[in-house]
Amino acid sequence: QVQLVESGGGWVQAGGSLRLSCDASGRTLFMGVMGWFRQAPGKEREFVGAIMSNSRATRYSDSVKGRFTISKINVSTADLQMDSLKPEDTAVYYCAARRQATIKEDAGQYEYWGQGTQVTVAS
């Protein structure tokens, strides 16, 4: 099993930056991919981006490409740097991990999830 804990959420004005961190514990060697998703009130959970544990290859959704960056700090930590934040980025952000080493944008393909951290961007 893998346990994921997010940190770093908060409130920021539009145009500002926040950095989220995801710390994994347990059988972290099982994590082929670490990803970030978000869910705004009344909306479905959506893919933000992901990074492969071995190659560090990344993929981002079109809505955050060029503004968000995922980095693998070490074997058990992945950060999400969010710049040029917009009010529409307001959501609960979730860290997720999947065993297979292929990036998927479907939340159902991820076996492990954190509890989520709130990000609020004020206009």
Side-chain angles (χ1 to χ4, degrees), residues 16-97:
S17 299
L18 279 176
R19 188 176 185 93
L20 305 183
S21 186
C22 177
D23 292 304
S25 60
R27 297 179 179 267
T28 56
L29 289 178
F30 283 6
M31 299 188 305
V33 171
M34 292 183 75
W36 287 93
F37 289 76
R38 66 186 182 186
Q39 188 166 19
K43 294 188 176 181
E44 292 188 354
R45 193 168 296 190
E46 66 169 346
F47 175 78
V48 173
I51 185 167
M52 292 182 64
S53 296
N54 50 8
S55 69
R56 301 296 197 265
T58 55
R59 183 188 299 177
Y60 301 94
S61 68
D62 288 342
S63 61
V64 307
K65 197 175 296 181
R67 299 188 298 120
F68 290 13
T69 304
I70 296 175
S71 55
K72 198 80 168 14
I73 306 303
N74 52 47
V75 68
S76 60
T77 303
D79 284 2
L80 176 65
Q81 176 67 38
M82 304 184 294
D83 299 316
S84 302
L85 282 161
K86 305 174 182 180
E88 51 263 44
D89 294 319
T90 295
V92 177
Y93 282 70
Y94 296 90
C95 177

Coordinates of all heavy atoms in Angstrom, one line a residue, residues 16-97:
G16 N -0.8 35.1 -8.8 CA 0.2 34.7 -7.8 C 0.6 33.2 -8.0 O 0.2 32.6 -9.0
S17 N 1.4 32.7 -7.1 CA 1.9 31.4 -7.2 C 1.7 30.6 -5.9 O 1.6 31.2 -4.8 CB 3.4 31.4 -7.5 OG 3.7 32.0 -8.7
L18 N 1.6 29.3 -6.0 CA 1.6 28.4 -4.9 C 2.3 27.1 -5.3 O 2.4 26.8 -6.5 CB 0.1 28.0 -4.5 CG -0.7 28.9 -3.7 CD1 -2.1 28.4 -3.5 CD2 -0.1 29.2 -2.3
R19 N 2.9 26.5 -4.3 CA 3.6 25.2 -4.5 C 3.0 24.1 -3.6 O 2.9 24.3 -2.4 CB 5.1 25.3 -4.2 CG 5.9 24.1 -4.6 CD 7.4 24.4 -4.4 NE 8.2 23.3 -4.9 CZ 8.8 23.3 -6.1 NH1 8.5 24.3 -7.0 NH2 9.5 22.3 -6.5
L20 N 2.5 23.1 -4.2 CA 1.9 21.9 -3.5 C 3.0 20.8 -3.4 O 3.8 20.7 -4.4 CB 0.7 21.4 -4.2 CG -0.5 22.4 -4.4 CD1 -1.7 21.7 -5.0 CD2 -0.8 23.2 -3.1
S21 N 2.9 20.1 -2.4 CA 3.8 19.0 -2.2 C 3.0 17.7 -1.9 O 2.0 17.7 -1.2 CB 4.8 19.2 -1.1 OG 5.8 18.2 -1.1
C22 N 3.5 16.6 -2.5 CA 2.9 15.3 -2.2 C 3.9 14.4 -1.6 O 4.9 14.1 -2.3 CB 2.3 14.7 -3.5 SG 1.6 13.1 -3.3
D23 N 3.7 13.9 -0.4 CA 4.7 13.0 0.2 C 4.1 11.6 0.3 O 3.0 11.5 0.8 CB 5.0 13.5 1.6 CG 5.8 14.8 1.6 OD1 6.9 14.8 0.9 OD2 5.4 15.8 2.1
A24 N 4.8 10.7 -0.2 CA 4.3 9.3 -0.2 C 5.1 8.5 0.9 O 6.2 8.7 1.1 CB 4.5 8.7 -1.6
S25 N 4.3 7.5 1.4 CA 5.0 6.6 2.3 C 4.4 5.2 2.0 O 3.4 5.0 1.3 CB 4.7 7.0 3.8 OG 3.3 7.0 4.0
G26 N 5.1 4.2 2.6 CA 4.7 2.8 2.3 C 5.5 2.2 1.2 O 6.7 2.5 1.0
R27 N 4.8 1.5 0.3 CA 5.5 0.8 -0.8 C 5.7 1.8 -2.0 O 5.1 1.6 -3.0 CB 4.8 -0.5 -1.2 CG 4.7 -1.5 0.0 CD 3.9 -2.7 -0.5 NE 3.9 -3.7 0.6 CZ 4.7 -4.7 0.7 NH1 5.7 -4.9 -0.2 NH2 4.6 -5.6 1.7
T28 N 6.5 2.7 -1.8 CA 6.7 3.8 -2.8 C 7.3 3.2 -4.1 O 7.1 3.9 -5.1 CB 7.5 4.9 -2.3 OG1 8.8 4.5 -1.8 CG2 6.8 5.6 -1.1
L29 N 7.9 2.1 -4.0 CA 8.5 1.5 -5.3 C 7.4 1.1 -6.2 O 7.6 0.8 -7.4 CB 9.4 0.3 -4.9 CG 10.7 0.7 -4.3 CD1 11.5 -0.6 -4.0 CD2 11.6 1.6 -5.2
F30 N 6.1 1.0 -5.6 CA 5.0 0.6 -6.5 C 4.5 1.8 -7.3 O 3.6 1.6 -8.1 CB 3.8 0.1 -5.6 CG 4.0 -1.2 -5.0 CD1 5.1 -2.0 -5.2 CD2 3.0 -1.8 -4.3 CE1 5.3 -3.3 -4.7 CE2 3.1 -3.1 -3.8 CZ 4.3 -3.8 -4.0
M31 N 5.0 2.9 -7.1 CA 4.5 4.1 -7.8 C 5.2 4.3 -9.2 O 6.3 4.7 -9.2 CB 4.6 5.4 -7.0 CG 3.9 5.3 -5.6 SD 4.0 6.9 -4.8 CE 5.7 7.2 -4.7
G32 N 4.5 3.9 -10.2 CA 5.1 4.2 -11.6 C 4.9 5.6 -12.0 O 5.7 6.2 -12.7
V33 N 3.8 6.2 -11.6 CA 3.4 7.6 -11.9 C 2.8 8.3 -10.7 O 2.0 7.7 -10.0 CB 2.4 7.6 -13.1 CG1 1.8 9.0 -13.3 CG2 2.9 7.0 -14.3
M34 N 3.2 9.5 -10.5 CA 2.5 10.4 -9.5 C 1.8 11.5 -10.3 O 2.4 12.1 -11.2 CB 3.5 11.0 -8.5 CG 4.1 9.9 -7.6 SD 5.2 10.6 -6.4 CE 4.1 11.3 -5.2
G35 N 0.6 11.7 -9.9 CA -0.2 12.7 -10.7 C -0.9 13.7 -9.8 O -1.0 13.5 -8.5
W36 N -1.4 14.7 -10.4 CA -2.2 15.7 -9.7 C -3.6 15.9 -10.4 O -3.6 16.0 -11.6 CB -1.5 17.1 -9.6 CG -0.4 17.1 -8.7 CD1 0.9 16.8 -9.0 CD2 -0.4 17.4 -7.3 NE1 1.7 16.9 -7.8 CE2 0.9 17.3 -6.8 CE3 -1.4 17.7 -6.4 CZ2 1.3 17.5 -5.4 CZ3 -1.1 17.9 -5.0 CH2 0.2 17.8 -4.6
F37 N -4.6 15.9 -9.6 CA -6.0 16.1 -10.1 C -6.6 17.3 -9.3 O -6.1 17.6 -8.2 CB -6.8 14.9 -10.0 CG -6.5 13.8 -10.9 CD1 -5.4 13.0 -10.7 CD2 -7.3 13.5 -12.0 CE1 -5.0 11.9 -11.6 CE2 -6.9 12.5 -12.9 CZ -5.8 11.7 -12.7
R38 N -7.7 17.8 -9.8 CA -8.4 18.8 -9.0 C -9.9 18.7 -9.2 O -10.3 18.2 -10.2 CB -7.9 20.2 -9.4 CG -8.3 20.6 -10.8 CD -7.6 22.0 -11.1 NE -8.0 22.5 -12.5 CZ -7.4 23.5 -13.0 NH1 -6.5 24.3 -12.4 NH2 -7.8 23.9 -14.2
Q39 N -10.6 19.2 -8.2 CA -12.1 19.1 -8.3 C -12.6 20.4 -7.7 O -12.5 20.7 -6.5 CB -12.6 17.9 -7.5 CG -14.1 17.7 -7.7 CD -14.5 16.3 -7.3 OE1 -13.8 15.6 -6.5 NE2 -15.7 15.8 -7.8
A40 N -13.3 21.1 -8.6 CA -14.0 22.3 -8.2 C -15.5 22.0 -7.7 O -16.0 20.9 -8.2 CB -14.0 23.4 -9.3
P41 N -16.1 22.8 -6.9 CA -17.5 22.5 -6.5 C -18.4 22.3 -7.7 O -18.4 23.1 -8.6 CB -17.9 23.7 -5.7 CG -16.6 24.3 -5.2 CD -15.6 24.0 -6.3
G42 N -19.2 21.2 -7.7 CA -20.1 20.9 -8.7 C -19.5 20.4 -10.0 O -20.2 20.2 -11.0
K43 N -18.2 20.2 -10.0 CA -17.6 19.7 -11.2 C -16.9 18.3 -10.9 O -16.7 17.9 -9.8 CB -16.5 20.7 -11.7 CG -17.1 22.0 -12.2 CD -16.1 22.8 -12.8 CE -16.7 24.1 -13.4 NZ -15.6 25.0 -14.0
E44 N -16.6 17.6 -12.0 CA -15.9 16.3 -11.9 C -14.5 16.6 -11.6 O -13.9 17.6 -12.0 CB -16.1 15.5 -13.2 CG -17.6 15.1 -13.4 CD -17.7 14.1 -14.6 OE1 -16.6 13.9 -15.3 OE2 -18.8 13.6 -14.8
R45 N -13.8 15.5 -11.1 CA -12.4 15.6 -10.9 C -11.7 15.6 -12.2 O -12.0 14.7 -13.1 CB -12.0 14.4 -10.0 CG -10.6 14.5 -9.4 CD -10.3 13.4 -8.4 NE -11.2 13.6 -7.2 CZ -11.1 12.9 -6.1 NH1 -10.1 12.1 -6.0 NH2 -11.9 13.2 -5.1
E46 N -10.7 16.5 -12.4 CA -10.1 16.6 -13.7 C -8.5 16.4 -13.5 O -8.0 16.8 -12.5 CB -10.4 17.9 -14.3 CG -9.9 19.1 -13.7 CD -10.0 20.4 -14.5 OE1 -10.2 20.3 -15.7 OE2 -9.8 21.5 -14.0
F47 N -7.9 15.9 -14.5 CA -6.5 15.7 -14.6 C -5.8 17.1 -14.7 O -6.2 17.9 -15.5 CB -6.2 14.9 -15.8 CG -4.7 14.6 -16.1 CD1 -4.0 13.7 -15.3 CD2 -4.1 15.4 -17.1 CE1 -2.6 13.5 -15.6 CE2 -2.8 15.2 -17.4 CZ -2.0 14.2 -16.6
V48 N -4.7 17.2 -13.9 CA -3.9 18.4 -14.0 C -2.6 18.1 -14.6 O -2.2 18.8 -15.6 CB -3.7 19.0 -12.6 CG1 -2.7 20.2 -12.6 CG2 -5.0 19.5 -11.9
G49 N -1.9 17.1 -14.2 CA -0.6 16.7 -14.7 C -0.1 15.5 -14.0 O -0.6 15.1 -13.0
A50 N 0.9 14.9 -14.5 CA 1.5 13.7 -13.9 C 3.0 13.6 -14.4 O 3.4 14.2 -15.4 CB 0.8 12.5 -14.3
I51 N 3.7 12.8 -13.5 CA 5.2 12.6 -13.8 C 5.5 11.2 -13.6 O 5.0 10.5 -12.7 CB 6.0 13.5 -12.9 CG1 7.5 13.4 -13.3 CG2 5.8 13.2 -11.4 CD1 8.4 14.5 -12.6
M52 N 6.3 10.6 -14.5 CA 6.7 9.2 -14.4 C 7.9 9.1 -13.4 O 8.8 10.0 -13.5 CB 7.1 8.7 -15.8 CG 5.9 8.6 -16.7 SD 6.3 7.9 -18.3 CE 6.9 6.2 -17.8
S53 N 7.8 8.1 -12.6 CA 8.8 8.0 -11.5 C 10.2 7.7 -12.1 O 11.2 8.2 -11.5 CB 8.4 6.9 -10.5 OG 7.2 7.3 -9.9
N54 N 10.3 7.0 -13.1 CA 11.6 6.6 -13.6 C 12.2 7.6 -14.6 O 13.3 8.1 -14.4 CB 11.6 5.2 -14.3 CG 10.4 5.1 -15.3 OD1 9.8 6.1 -15.6 ND2 10.2 3.9 -15.8
S55 N 11.5 8.0 -15.6 CA 12.0 8.9 -16.7 C 11.8 10.3 -16.4 O 12.4 11.2 -17.0 CB 11.4 8.6 -18.0 OG 10.0 8.9 -18.0
R56 N 11.0 10.6 -15.4 CA 10.6 12.0 -15.1 C 9.9 12.7 -16.2 O 9.7 13.9 -16.2 CB 11.8 12.9 -14.7 CG 12.7 12.4 -13.6 CD 11.9 12.4 -12.3 NE 12.8 12.3 -11.1 CZ 13.1 11.2 -10.5 NH1 12.6 10.1 -10.9 NH2 13.9 11.2 -9.4
A57 N 9.4 11.9 -17.2 CA 8.5 12.5 -18.2 C 7.3 13.0 -17.6 O 6.7 12.5 -16.7 CB 8.2 11.4 -19.3
T58 N 6.8 14.1 -18.2 CA 5.6 14.8 -17.6 C 4.5 15.0 -18.7 O 4.8 15.0 -19.9 CB 5.9 16.1 -17.0 OG1 6.5 17.0 -18.0 CG2 6.8 16.0 -15.8
R59 N 3.3 15.1 -18.3 CA 2.2 15.5 -19.1 C 1.3 16.4 -18.4 O 1.1 16.3 -17.2 CB 1.4 14.3 -19.6 CG 0.2 14.6 -20.6 CD -0.6 13.4 -20.8 NE 0.1 12.3 -21.4 CZ -0.5 11.1 -21.7 NH1 -1.7 10.9 -21.4 NH2 0.3 10.2 -22.2
Y60 N 0.7 17.4 -19.1 CA -0.2 18.4 -18.4 C -1.5 18.6 -19.2 O -1.5 18.4 -20.4 CB 0.5 19.8 -18.3 CG 1.8 19.8 -17.6 CD1 3.0 19.6 -18.2 CD2 1.8 19.9 -16.2 CE1 4.2 19.5 -17.5 CE2 3.0 19.9 -15.5 CZ 4.2 19.7 -16.1 OH 5.4 19.7 -15.4
S61 N -2.5 19.0 -18.5 CA -3.7 19.3 -19.2 C -3.5 20.7 -19.9 O -2.7 21.5 -19.6 CB -4.9 19.5 -18.2 OG -4.7 20.6 -17.4
D62 N -4.3 20.9 -21.0 CA -4.2 22.1 -21.7 C -4.4 23.4 -20.9 O -3.9 24.4 -21.1 CB -5.1 22.1 -22.9 CG -4.7 21.1 -24.0 OD1 -3.5 20.7 -24.0 OD2 -5.5 20.7 -24.8
S63 N -5.3 23.2 -19.9 CA -5.7 24.3 -19.1 C -4.6 24.9 -18.2 O -4.6 26.0 -17.7 CB -6.9 24.0 -18.2 OG -6.6 22.9 -17.4
V64 N -3.6 24.0 -17.9 CA -2.5 24.5 -17.0 C -1.1 24.5 -17.7 O -0.1 24.9 -17.1 CB -2.4 23.6 -15.7 CG1 -3.8 23.5 -15.1 CG2 -1.9 22.2 -16.1
K65 N -1.0 24.0 -18.9 CA 0.2 23.9 -19.6 C 0.9 25.2 -19.7 O 0.2 26.2 -20.1 CB 0.0 23.2 -21.0 CG 1.3 22.7 -21.6 CD 0.9 22.0 -22.9 CE 0.0 20.8 -22.7 NZ -0.3 20.1 -24.0
G66 N 2.2 25.3 -19.3 CA 2.9 26.6 -19.4 C 2.8 27.4 -18.1 O 3.5 28.3 -17.9
R67 N 1.9 27.0 -17.2 CA 1.7 27.7 -15.9 C 2.1 26.8 -14.7 O 2.6 27.3 -13.7 CB 0.3 28.2 -15.8 CG -0.2 29.1 -16.8 CD -1.5 29.7 -16.5 NE -2.6 28.7 -16.4 CZ -3.3 28.5 -15.3 NH1 -3.1 29.2 -14.2 NH2 -4.3 27.6 -15.3
F68 N 1.8 25.5 -14.9 CA 2.1 24.6 -13.8 C 3.3 23.7 -14.2 O 3.5 23.3 -15.3 CB 0.9 23.7 -13.5 CG -0.3 24.4 -12.9 CD1 -0.4 25.8 -12.8 CD2 -1.4 23.6 -12.4 CE1 -1.5 26.4 -12.3 CE2 -2.5 24.2 -11.8 CZ -2.5 25.6 -11.8
T69 N 4.0 23.3 -13.1 CA 5.2 22.4 -13.4 C 5.2 21.3 -12.3 O 5.2 21.7 -11.1 CB 6.5 23.2 -13.3 OG1 6.5 24.2 -14.3 CG2 7.7 22.3 -13.6
I70 N 5.3 20.1 -12.7 CA 5.5 19.0 -11.7 C 6.9 18.5 -11.7 O 7.5 18.4 -12.8 CB 4.6 17.8 -12.1 CG1 3.1 18.2 -12.1 CG2 4.8 16.6 -11.2 CD1 2.1 17.1 -12.6
S71 N 7.4 18.3 -10.5 CA 8.8 17.9 -10.4 C 8.8 16.8 -9.3 O 8.1 16.8 -8.4 CB 9.7 19.0 -10.0 OG 9.3 19.6 -8.8
K72 N 9.7 15.8 -9.6 CA 9.9 14.7 -8.6 C 11.1 15.1 -7.8 O 12.3 15.1 -8.2 CB 10.2 13.4 -9.4 CG 10.0 12.2 -8.6 CD 8.5 11.8 -8.5 CE 8.2 10.4 -7.9 NZ 9.2 9.7 -7.3
I73 N 10.9 15.4 -6.5 CA 11.9 15.8 -5.6 C 12.8 14.7 -5.2 O 14.0 14.8 -5.2 CB 11.3 16.5 -4.4 CG1 10.4 17.6 -4.8 CG2 12.4 17.0 -3.5 CD1 11.0 18.7 -5.7
N74 N 12.2 13.6 -4.9 CA 12.9 12.3 -4.6 C 12.0 11.2 -4.8 O 10.9 11.4 -5.4 CB 13.4 12.4 -3.1 CG 12.3 12.7 -2.1 OD1 11.2 12.1 -2.2 ND2 12.6 13.6 -1.2
V75 N 12.3 10.0 -4.4 CA 11.6 8.8 -4.7 C 10.1 8.9 -4.2 O 9.2 8.2 -4.7 CB 12.3 7.5 -4.2 CG1 12.3 7.4 -2.7 CG2 11.7 6.3 -4.8
S76 N 9.9 9.7 -3.1 CA 8.6 9.7 -2.5 C 7.9 11.0 -2.5 O 6.9 11.2 -1.9 CB 8.8 9.2 -1.0 OG 9.6 10.0 -0.3
T77 N 8.5 12.0 -3.1 CA 7.9 13.4 -3.1 C 7.8 13.9 -4.5 O 8.8 13.9 -5.3 CB 8.7 14.3 -2.2 OG1 8.8 13.8 -0.9 CG2 8.1 15.7 -2.2
A78 N 6.6 14.5 -4.8 CA 6.4 15.2 -6.1 C 5.7 16.5 -5.8 O 4.7 16.6 -5.0 CB 5.5 14.3 -7.0
D79 N 6.3 17.6 -6.3 CA 5.7 18.9 -6.1 C 5.0 19.4 -7.4 O 5.3 19.0 -8.5 CB 6.8 19.9 -5.8 CG 7.4 19.7 -4.4 OD1 6.9 18.8 -3.7 OD2 8.2 20.5 -4.0
L80 N 4.0 20.3 -7.1 CA 3.3 20.9 -8.2 C 3.5 22.4 -8.0 O 2.9 23.0 -7.1 CB 1.8 20.6 -8.1 CG 0.9 21.3 -9.1 CD1 1.3 20.9 -10.6 CD2 -0.6 21.0 -8.9
Q81 N 4.3 23.0 -8.8 CA 4.5 24.5 -8.8 C 3.4 25.1 -9.7 O 3.3 24.8 -10.9 CB 5.9 24.8 -9.3 CG 6.2 26.3 -9.4 CD 6.2 27.0 -8.0 OE1 6.7 26.5 -7.1 NE2 5.6 28.2 -8.0
M82 N 2.6 26.0 -9.1 CA 1.5 26.7 -9.8 C 1.8 28.2 -9.9 O 1.9 28.9 -8.9 CB 0.2 26.4 -9.1 CG -0.1 24.9 -8.9 SD -1.7 24.6 -8.2 CE -1.4 25.3 -6.6
D83 N 2.0 28.7 -11.1 CA 2.3 30.1 -11.4 C 1.1 30.7 -12.2 O 0.4 30.0 -12.8 CB 3.6 30.2 -12.1 CG 4.8 29.7 -11.3 OD1 4.8 30.0 -10.1 OD2 5.7 29.1 -11.9
S84 N 1.1 32.0 -12.2 CA 0.1 32.7 -13.0 C -1.3 32.2 -12.7 O -2.1 31.9 -13.6 CB 0.4 32.6 -14.5 OG 1.7 33.2 -14.8
L85 N -1.6 32.0 -11.4 CA -2.9 31.4 -11.0 C -4.1 32.3 -11.4 O -4.0 33.5 -11.4 CB -2.9 31.1 -9.5 CG -2.1 29.9 -9.1 CD1 -1.7 29.9 -7.7 CD2 -2.9 28.6 -9.5
K86 N -5.1 31.6 -11.8 CA -6.4 32.2 -12.2 C -7.5 31.8 -11.2 O -7.4 30.7 -10.6 CB -6.8 31.8 -13.6 CG -5.7 32.0 -14.6 CD -6.1 31.5 -16.0 CE -5.0 31.6 -17.0 NZ -5.4 31.1 -18.3
P87 N -8.5 32.6 -11.1 CA -9.7 32.2 -10.3 C -10.2 30.8 -10.6 O -10.7 30.1 -9.8 CB -10.7 33.3 -10.5 CG -9.9 34.5 -10.8 CD -8.7 34.0 -11.6
E88 N -10.2 30.5 -11.9 CA -10.7 29.2 -12.3 C -9.9 28.0 -11.9 O -10.2 26.8 -12.1 CB -11.0 29.1 -13.9 CG -9.8 29.6 -14.7 CD -9.9 31.1 -15.1 OE1 -10.2 31.9 -14.2 OE2 -9.6 31.4 -16.3
D89 N -8.7 28.3 -11.3 CA -7.9 27.2 -10.8 C -8.3 26.8 -9.4 O -7.8 25.9 -8.8 CB -6.4 27.7 -10.7 CG -5.8 27.9 -12.1 OD1 -6.1 27.0 -13.0 OD2 -5.0 28.9 -12.3
T90 N -9.3 27.6 -8.8 CA -9.8 27.3 -7.5 C -10.4 25.9 -7.5 O -11.3 25.6 -8.3 CB -10.8 28.3 -7.0 OG1 -10.1 29.6 -6.9 CG2 -11.4 27.9 -5.7
A91 N -9.9 25.0 -6.5 CA -10.4 23.7 -6.4 C -9.7 23.0 -5.3 O -8.7 23.5 -4.7 CB -10.1 22.9 -7.7
V92 N -10.1 21.8 -5.0 CA -9.4 20.9 -4.1 C -8.4 20.1 -5.0 O -8.9 19.5 -6.0 CB -10.3 19.9 -3.3 CG1 -9.5 19.0 -2.5 CG2 -11.3 20.7 -2.4
Y93 N -7.2 20.1 -4.6 CA -6.1 19.5 -5.4 C -5.8 18.2 -4.7 O -5.5 18.1 -3.5 CB -4.9 20.4 -5.6 CG -5.1 21.4 -6.6 CD1 -6.0 22.5 -6.4 CD2 -4.5 21.4 -7.9 CE1 -6.2 23.5 -7.4 CE2 -4.7 22.3 -8.8 CZ -5.6 23.4 -8.6 OH -5.8 24.3 -9.5
Y94 N -5.7 17.1 -5.5 CA -5.4 15.8 -5.0 C -4.2 15.2 -5.7 O -4.0 15.3 -6.9 CB -6.6 14.8 -5.3 CG -7.9 15.1 -4.7 CD1 -8.8 16.0 -5.3 CD2 -8.2 14.6 -3.4 CE1 -10.0 16.3 -4.7 CE2 -9.4 14.9 -2.8 CZ -10.3 15.7 -3.4 OH -11.5 16.0 -2.8
C95 N -3.4 14.6 -4.9 CA -2.2 13.8 -5.4 C -2.7 12.4 -5.6 O -3.5 11.9 -4.8 CB -1.1 13.9 -4.3 SG 0.3 12.9 -4.8
A96 N -2.2 11.8 -6.6 CA -2.6 10.4 -6.9 C -1.4 9.6 -7.4 O -0.4 10.2 -7.9 CB -3.7 10.4 -7.9
A97 N -1.4 8.3 -7.3 CA -0.3 7.5 -7.8 C -0.9 6.2 -8.4 O -1.9 5.7 -8.0 CB 0.7 7.1 -6.7

